[in-house]
Amino acid sequence: MRVVSLVPSLTEAVAVTLPGALAGATDWCTHPAGLGTARVGGTKNPAVDRIVALAPDLVVANEEENREPDLAALRAAGIEVLVTEVRDVPQAFRALDRVLTACGARTRPRWLDEAEAAWAAPPGAAERPATAVVPIWRRPWMVLGRDTFAGDVLARLGVPHLYADAADRYPKVPLADLRAAAPDLVVLPDEPYRFTADDGPEAFPGVPAALVSGRHLTWYGPSLAEAPRVLSGALRAALR
């Protein structure tokens, strides 16, 4: 199999499980370290001609991360495209099983079993009920809304977010409204916007801030095995 991945987390899953199968990946595919494969542009603007030239047997994509016109162009060029939809943790495991089988895996990888076991009984992140707001962008401020994988991850760790019932999946919310929502915690990932200790926490004076790895919060791949421990540790430290 020759596989092109347009999703960073799926790139890591394929590369770790099936070394040598990956023929191409996006510029945003940073894991595993030292990934030596052809680059085909971004997740939102892949170079379709470059992908076609790689002659893949399969392109793996995601309905949220990739644009339908690009996927349609690949199909029109005669390339098979597998599109995942991941809105919660159980759906992530089903998607990974489907993708890895389609890419030629004959057995389920050990890391996937370990990840599923880790999420079967994840550690709680708070001694008492706690709610969060989770910005993913600023200028304008955008936060996690309804039906998001990251939102489900946090809820399973005992820290649901306050916009889980929003009309939009990633609503734009004025900073004044975010503060007025009175969260117990603000969770600041390092992607897609790279929040840092000097860029983000100052906007929420008096509110504990947890700076977390976007890979652990939003990726569904090998990082799922350690995500419950890593994320709960960061959340717990912020809530002390």
Side-chain angles (χ1 to χ4, degrees), residues 63 85-89 91-92 146-150 152 169:
E63 50 87 29
E85 178 181 312
V86 177
R87 304 291 175 88
D88 57 36
V89 172
Q91 199 172 26
R146 62 172 179 84
D147 298 334
T148 65
F149 172 73
D152 186 61
R169 297 186 66 217

Side-chain angles (χ1 to χ4, degrees), residues 20 52 63 70-71 76 80 83 90-91 120 135 139 141 179 200 210 227:
V52 173
E63 50 87 29
D70 296 319
L71 305 184
E80 181 179 356
V83 182
Q91 199 172 26
R139 306 182 194 94
W141 286 94
R179 292 170 174 167

